[in-house]
């Protein structure tokens, strides 16, 4: 409906503004301070990044109630990957926040999202630019695996700190003998992360073919 289309446009606009601010801020800081800007990336833009990622949870709701026609499982995996790495791994360990991998990860996320939300906003108005459409459905194919590698590296970097501080590790009192050692959970999640990557890449190729197939390109040109 018209109302839902306006709502989705406003949502995409808010996400575009947030990610554009982060992306621009990162570039300006790097051009001004060079490598010194990489270590405090999280401290300068982490709040806005967390707000944008929390807001992205609404995209799962959009699919569930039927106002977004995207496939649920790939989108759910992509959103939960970011939530887990950002809030559980990076936000909980101050020592990880200053690592260069955080800057790399944020750069990849925001580059993808600036393009995606720009495309979405124009699509809500029925506007399709072929170069932007191509970029939206092509850029994610090489950059998403790179972001997964960065997530995996961030998790590996965080493991010694989770082991030292015991963050999120739980040992239940007597009479229970069950305990959760969180570094083991993260190591198992690495397997889930890379397994999910194969599924999501397959879905990205499917979406690219659906939107950039010869017939679709001709229709959008006309």
């Amino acid at each position: 409906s018209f109302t839902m289309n306006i709502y989705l446009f406003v949502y995409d606009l808010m996400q575009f503004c947030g990610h554009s601010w982060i992306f621009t801020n990162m570039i300006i800081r790097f051009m001004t301070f060079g490598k010194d800007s990489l270590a405090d990336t999280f401290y300068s833009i982490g709040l806005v990044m967390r707000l944008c990622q929390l807001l992205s949870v609404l995209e799962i709701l959009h699919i569930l109630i039927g106002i977004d026609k995207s496939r649920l499982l790939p989108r759910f995996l992509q959103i939960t990957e970011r939530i887990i790495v950002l809030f559980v791994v990076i936000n909980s360990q101050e020592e990880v926040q200053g690592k260069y991998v955080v800057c790399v990860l944020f750069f990849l996320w925001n580059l993808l999202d600036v393009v995606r939300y720009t495309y979405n906003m124009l699509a809500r108005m029925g506007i399709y630019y072929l170069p932007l459409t191509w970029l939206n459905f092509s850029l994610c194919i090489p950059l998403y695996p790179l972001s997964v590698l960065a997530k995996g590296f961030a998790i590996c970097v965080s493991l010694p700190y989770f082991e030292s501080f015991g963050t999120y590790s739980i040992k239940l009192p007597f009479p229970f003998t069950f305990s959760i050692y969180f570094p083991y959970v993260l190591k198992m999640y690495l397997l889930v992360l890379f397994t999910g990557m194969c599924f999501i890449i397959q879905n990205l190729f499917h979406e690219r073919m659906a939107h950039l197939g010869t017939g679709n390109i001709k229709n959008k040109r006309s």
Side-chain angles (χ1 to χ4, degrees):
S1 67
F2 178 76
T3 303
M4 288 295 99
N5 207 43
I6 293 297
Y7 161 74
L8 290 173
F9 177 84
V10 172
Y11 168 80
D12 291 329
L13 178 62
M14 292 174 60
Q15 288 282 37
F16 170 79
C17 291
H19 288 289
S20 295
W21 182 87
I22 295 172
F23 191 68
T24 305
N25 186 288
M26 291 182 68
I27 293 176
I28 292 176
R29 285 174 54 80
F30 182 76
M31 293 177 64
T32 304
F33 303 107
K35 291 184 178 180
D36 294 336
S37 67
L38 303 181
D40 63 347
T41 295
F42 184 84
Y43 304 102
S44 61
I45 63 175
L47 176 60
V48 181
M49 192 70 196
R50 280 172 282 180
L51 291 174
C52 288
Q53 296 308 316
L54 284 176
L55 191 61
S56 70
V57 176
L58 287 175
E59 296 179 26
I60 299 175
L61 179 62
H62 296 164
I63 299 174
L64 288 174
I65 63 178
I67 61 175
D68 187 341
K69 303 303 180 183
S70 301
R71 295 180 63 189
L72 176 61
L73 184 56
R75 194 74 200 115
F76 175 80
L77 289 175
Q78 288 176 293
I79 291 173
T80 52
E81 285 172 8
R82 293 191 182 190
I83 294 293
I84 291 172
V85 172
L86 179 59
F87 287 92
V88 178
V89 176
I90 299 175
N91 191 63
S92 66
Q93 299 296 337
E94 188 174 353
E95 291 77 6
V96 178
Q97 296 169 9
K99 304 294 184 181
Y100 288 170
V101 67
V102 175
C103 181
V104 173
L105 195 55
F106 283 9
F107 180 84
L108 293 172
W109 284 356
N110 286 281
L111 177 58
L112 288 169
D113 285 340
V114 167
V115 174
R116 184 165 70 92
Y117 289 115
T118 302
Y119 171 83
N120 286 348
M121 282 192 301
L122 295 177
R124 307 294 179 200
M125 299 184 291
I127 300 173
Y128 297 92
Y129 290 111
L130 183 57
L132 181 60
T133 303
W134 183 90
L135 189 64
N136 180 61
F137 292 102
S138 300
L139 188 64
C140 55
I141 292 176
L143 292 192
Y144 174 72
L146 290 178
S147 73
V148 172
L149 289 175
K151 292 171 195 172
F153 187 74
I155 291 174
C156 292
V157 168
S158 72
L159 286 175
Y161 303 107
F162 280 105
E163 292 171 354
S164 300
F165 303 137
T167 310
Y168 300 134
S169 294
I170 301 173
K171 186 174 183 179
L172 298 178
F174 183 84
F176 303 100
T177 58
F178 180 74
S179 62
I180 299 175
Y181 187 56
F182 196 69
Y184 290 162
V185 176
L186 287 179
K187 291 175 182 178
M188 289 188 291
Y189 180 70
L190 283 173
L191 297 176
V192 176
L193 186 65
F194 285 99
T195 302
M197 179 185 70
C198 299
F199 171 74
I200 292 174
I201 290 176
Q202 184 180 13
N203 183 71
L204 292 175
F205 275 106
H206 176 78
E207 288 185 344
R208 188 179 188 278
M209 181 61 65
H211 288 84
L212 296 178
T214 305
N216 289 324
I217 292 176
K218 289 180 180 179
N219 290 335
K220 289 177 180 178
R221 281 178 175 174
S222 60

